[in-house]
Amino acid sequence: MNNTLILYENDSVEINNVLNKINEVISNSKLHQVNDELVDVDNYSNIAVTISMEDENNFNLYKSLRDYNIDFTNKKLVIICIGSTKQDVIKHITEIKEITSKSDLYYHFINTKYEKLENIINAAINIKRYIEEPKKYKKNH
């Protein structure tokens, strides 16, 4: 089954609006706040981790990823960077690579201050394409 779990920490209206749009585009997906208990993670073939630059260190997100102890071996990993630039988020991508032991991942940057709804939907479409056809989409933007 090709389904996606979208993990996020920051619960701001802006982040929720972006994630809800992404969730609508990606079929068979579920949003999950990292402070909640995670069950049935093995049932997901794709994990999307949301990095919010509103929370500079994303401490709870990283702690939860470590505590969940997810086996990412056979899962596709997507990193959704919201409210950030490439330079700001490289350290976060490196941290997630270390936690997950995954080097093959897809990431997408969404700057909520400048992105229009159409661009957010296009980002969601690109994420969906990666999930469905990972060999065609390695890294983007």
Side-chain angles (χ1 to χ4, degrees), residues 28-85:
N28 229 1
S29 62
K30 177 185 175 187
L31 294 173
H32 180 80
Q33 219 279 346
V34 295
N35 293 330
D36 297 336
E37 181 182 357
L38 181 63
V39 294
D40 300 328
V41 71
D42 292 333
N43 294 336
Y44 293 94
S45 53
N46 312 299
I47 305 289
V49 177
T50 306
I51 297 172
S52 167
M53 293 314 289
E54 289 180 13
D55 182 6
E56 280 293 317
N57 61 16
N58 288 279
F59 175 77
N60 288 332
L61 174 69
Y62 298 148
K63 181 182 181 321
S64 295
L65 281 174
R66 286 185 179 96
D67 290 348
Y68 290 157
N69 199 25
I70 300 169
D71 181 3
F72 285 91
T73 306
N74 295 314
K75 297 188 185 309
K76 293 177 210 147
L77 178 60
V78 175
I79 300 175
I80 304 168
C81 310
I82 298 179
S84 56
T85 64

Side-chain angles (χ1 to χ4, degrees), residues 4 68 94 104 112 124 136 139:
T4 304
Y68 290 157
T94 303
D104 57 329
T112 53
K136 291 185 180 179
K139 290 186 181 176

Side-chain angles (χ1 to χ4, degrees), residues 2 11 59:
N2 194 22
D11 206 16
F59 175 77

